[in-house]
Amino acid sequence: MPCSCKTPEDVLRVCKENRVKFIRLWFTDVLGSLKSFAIPFEELETALYEGMGFDGSSVKGFARIDESDMVALPDPATFQLLPWRSGEEKVGRMFCDILNPDGTPFEGDPRYVLKRNLKRLAEKGYTFYVGPELEFFYFKSDKEPVPLDRGGYFDLTTLDAASDLRRDTIRTLEEMGIRVEYSHHEVAYSQHEIDLRYADALTMADNVMTYRIVVKEIAQKYGVYATFMPKPIMGINGSGMHTHQSLFRGDTNAFFDPHDPYFLSDVAKKYIAGILRYAREIALVTNQWVNSYKRLVPGYEAPVYICWARRNRSALVRVPMYKPGKEKATRIEVRHPDPACNPYLAFAVMLAAGMAGVEGNYELPEPVERDVYHMSPEERKALGIESLPGSLKEAIDCALESKLLRETLGEHVFTYLIESKLVEWDEYRVVVHPYEIERYLPIL
């Protein structure tokens, strides 16, 4: 059964009862890579109350070598046993908040960035809930993208080679207290989706990090490789992280209005308007890799054009209508993030964009219920429909001019993210790709 710890004492008791020998302390760097170090049970009490020191200069985006001392303070509420490390000596894990030596929050910690933005939201009386749909691929190895099957959307049995992998993954997630709504084969060959039940944004960001490592661990157990790379194969759909989101005041859904034709409150409409207004500026966080922009092209179900709709999946923001008029189910779906983002930062910037719309009383344009992909440029211009950045470099340029992004991330994370992405772009643009050899070498 999942652990339900709240205090350091709870963690110590559960570890004693389960004969836990090692505890892994987890956190992420600025780019969203999971970092971990292990401590023996004998050090657990010290870690829970005082934290554990480590060298922050060795973690991307954290600290310079002359200010490298950092402290990882475990969050007791995140303690879970690792199901894939079973045996006589069990292993547990906790997510950590990263602190400076004086005990203050470290501004380069992505978890702190999200917590800081959620605190501002709480002061306004809201709770932010999210429910991401993470897509991913299974391949035969990490050397080349060779699919396991030729299945498509919702295919069964022989066309779906990974139903056992998904089942074991779901069991593992549920053993760790992470609720799953459903799973299925996705559109592309060997592409899959496991949808998480909605939760508050901080819990969900922790869950996304856990989800990604569980998917990879179970895949490795079966001798295959799982990847969250946005676009690993040319000519078929890439992987997205469609993110359902809503604001609640207590038990009341602030996005719901029973008298509106779309069942959307004014808060929801302004929130959507904010997402649309800032989509280009926050793309560097929601879609942070060179490869992300290979997915964001017309024709493969990924959103490219900045508009909203109800049932139209070519729109950037969609209002799902599975249960129209049901208050708890009313939400919006932001479709452009991909599953290789840093979830702490992605949730923070989407929230900030939406709340800018609420606080600025932004007006929501009319929904676009036509296939935007097949509109002419003139039609899109007439409707005021802009496009997401077409490359990582364009996303960097949009981010550089964004006051909202700088304030949301904080100066430390914003500066490192820009610097890191400029390096990535420079490394990418000087590479001679196979396309260029095949296209130009025979004729030039």
Side-chain angles (χ1 to χ4, degrees):
M1 294 293 292
C3 303
S4 297
C5 297
K6 295 182 180 179
T7 66
E9 291 78 12
D10 292 337
V11 175
L12 290 165
R13 173 180 51 79
V14 169
C15 286
K16 287 178 182 177
E17 291 174 352
N18 288 276
R19 299 174 65 186
V20 173
K21 177 59 179 174
F22 293 100
I23 300 90
R24 288 197 166 275
L25 304 185
W26 287 4
F27 59 95
T28 75
D29 64 17
V30 171
L31 300 182
S33 296
L34 185 65
K35 302 296 179 180
S36 172
F37 63 95
I39 59 172
F41 173 76
E42 291 74 18
E43 295 296 323
L44 179 58
E45 186 170 3
T46 299
L48 286 164
Y49 289 101
E50 300 177 17
M52 298 296 291
F54 70 99
D55 176 10
S57 67
S58 298
V59 179
K60 289 183 178 179
F62 270 29
R64 299 189 302 265
I65 196 167
D66 59 337
E67 51 182 27
S68 60
D69 291 340
M70 301 258 162
V71 177
L73 183 66
D75 181 345
T78 67
F79 179 84
Q80 292 292 340
L81 298 175
L82 297 181
W84 61 86
R85 296 298 301 270
S86 59
E88 290 188 8
E89 294 183 344
K90 293 184 172 62
V91 177
R93 76 94 163 95
M94 282 181 283
F95 282 95
C96 294
D97 294 309
I98 306 303
L99 309 178
N100 295 308
D102 63 2
T104 58
F106 171 54
E107 291 189 354
D109 176 15
R111 200 168 190 261
Y112 172 67
V113 171
L114 178 57
K115 290 176 75 171
R116 177 165 47 79
N117 282 275
L118 292 174
K119 182 180 178 182
R120 291 176 188 166
L121 185 72
E123 291 169 354
K124 297 177 173 63
Y126 293 110
T127 302
F128 184 40
Y129 288 100
V130 292
E133 301 174 353
L134 287 93
E135 298 168 341
F136 57 92
F137 284 85
Y138 288 121
F139 294 134
K140 294 183 178 180
S141 75
D142 62 352
K143 305 303 180 186
E144 56 180 327
V146 179
L148 304 186
D149 62 46
R150 310 294 282 184
Y153 194 64
F154 275 30
D155 274 344
L156 292 170
T157 59
T158 56
L159 292 176
D160 179 359
S163 56
D164 288 347
L165 278 83
R166 293 202 309 272
R167 184 183 64 246
D168 282 5
T169 299
I170 292 168
R171 284 177 178 168
T172 303
L173 290 169
E174 290 179 342
E175 285 180 40
M176 298 184 72
I178 298 174
R179 294 181 62 189
V180 173
E181 278 200 328
Y182 58 85
S183 71
H184 58 88
H185 197 292
E186 254 297 341
V187 173
Y189 300 153
S190 209
Q191 186 185 36
H192 302 266
E193 178 175 309
I194 299 175
D195 294 346
L196 303 181
R197 178 76 172 170
Y198 76 90
D200 68 274
L202 182 63
T203 298
M204 185 55 75
D206 291 341
N207 287 352
V208 168
M209 295 305 304
T210 304
Y211 173 110
R212 295 198 303 212
I213 195 67
V214 167
V215 167
K216 286 180 173 288
E217 287 283 347
I218 301 302
Q220 188 177 42
K221 172 184 169 183
Y222 279 79
V224 300
Y225 179 71
T227 180
F228 293 92
M229 182 177 176
K231 185 77 167 184
I233 303 177
M234 177 181 172
I236 62 176
N237 288 24
S239 293
M241 187 182 77
H242 306 157
T243 305
H244 297 252
Q245 46 199 279
S246 57
L247 298 176
F248 273 66
R249 284 187 177 275
D251 294 328
T252 302
N253 188 345
F255 277 10
F256 179 70
D257 181 350
H259 306 296
D260 183 77
Y262 307 123
F263 300 105
L264 292 176
S265 68
D266 284 342
V267 168
K269 292 175 181 177
K270 293 169 184 175
Y271 188 99
I272 295 171
I275 293 286
L276 299 179
R277 172 85 64 93
Y278 294 104
R280 286 175 56 81
E281 296 180 23
I282 67 174
L284 187 63
V285 173
T286 55
N287 308 86
Q288 68 161 315
W289 307 99
V290 161
N291 184 254
S292 297
Y293 297 89
K294 304 295 177 72
R295 166 182 169 257
L296 296 176
V297 295
Y300 295 98
E301 295 194 9
V304 178
Y305 302 111
I306 301 173
C307 58
W308 78 283
R310 289 177 292 176
R311 304 180 70 177
N312 181 5
R313 280 177 160 80
S314 68
L316 185 113
V317 177
R318 193 174 71 89
V319 180
M321 297 184 67
Y322 303 122
K323 300 175 182 178
K326 185 176 180 181
E327 178 181 347
K328 298 293 185 184
T330 300
R331 62 198 187 276
I332 71 166
E333 177 190 8
V334 182
R335 295 176 58 79
H336 67 290
D338 65 51
C341 69
N342 183 327
Y344 300 100
L345 301 185
F347 294 164
V349 299
M350 285 188 281
L351 173 62
M355 288 307 296
V358 174
E359 294 165 7
N361 291 314
Y362 293 179
E363 184 176 348
L364 183 65
E366 289 297 311
V368 179
E369 299 294 355
R370 297 165 51 198
D371 186 346
V372 190
Y373 297 146
H374 291 94
M375 289 183 185
S376 68
E378 291 74 22
E379 288 177 299
R380 289 194 293 270
K381 184 176 181 181
L383 292 171
I385 300 174
E386 291 187 287
S387 300
L388 288 172
S391 68
L392 181 64
K393 181 58 169 65
E394 189 177 347
I396 294 169
D397 292 341
C398 291
L400 277 167
E401 302 299 321
S402 177
K403 180 180 178 183
L404 177 131
L405 192 64
R406 187 183 293 269
E407 291 179 350
T408 302
L409 299 180
E411 196 65 37
H412 183 108
V413 172
F414 179 85
T415 300
Y416 176 78
L417 184 65
I418 294 293
E419 291 175 351
S420 173
K421 294 294 120 178
L422 283 171
V423 169
E424 181 181 345
W425 178 253
D426 283 342
E427 290 175 344
Y428 171 76
R429 71 184 182 87
V430 299
V431 173
V432 178
H433 298 277
Y435 169 88
E436 297 167 89
I437 299 298
E438 293 175 11
R439 176 90 177 201
Y440 301 125
L441 188 60
I443 62 173
L444 298 180

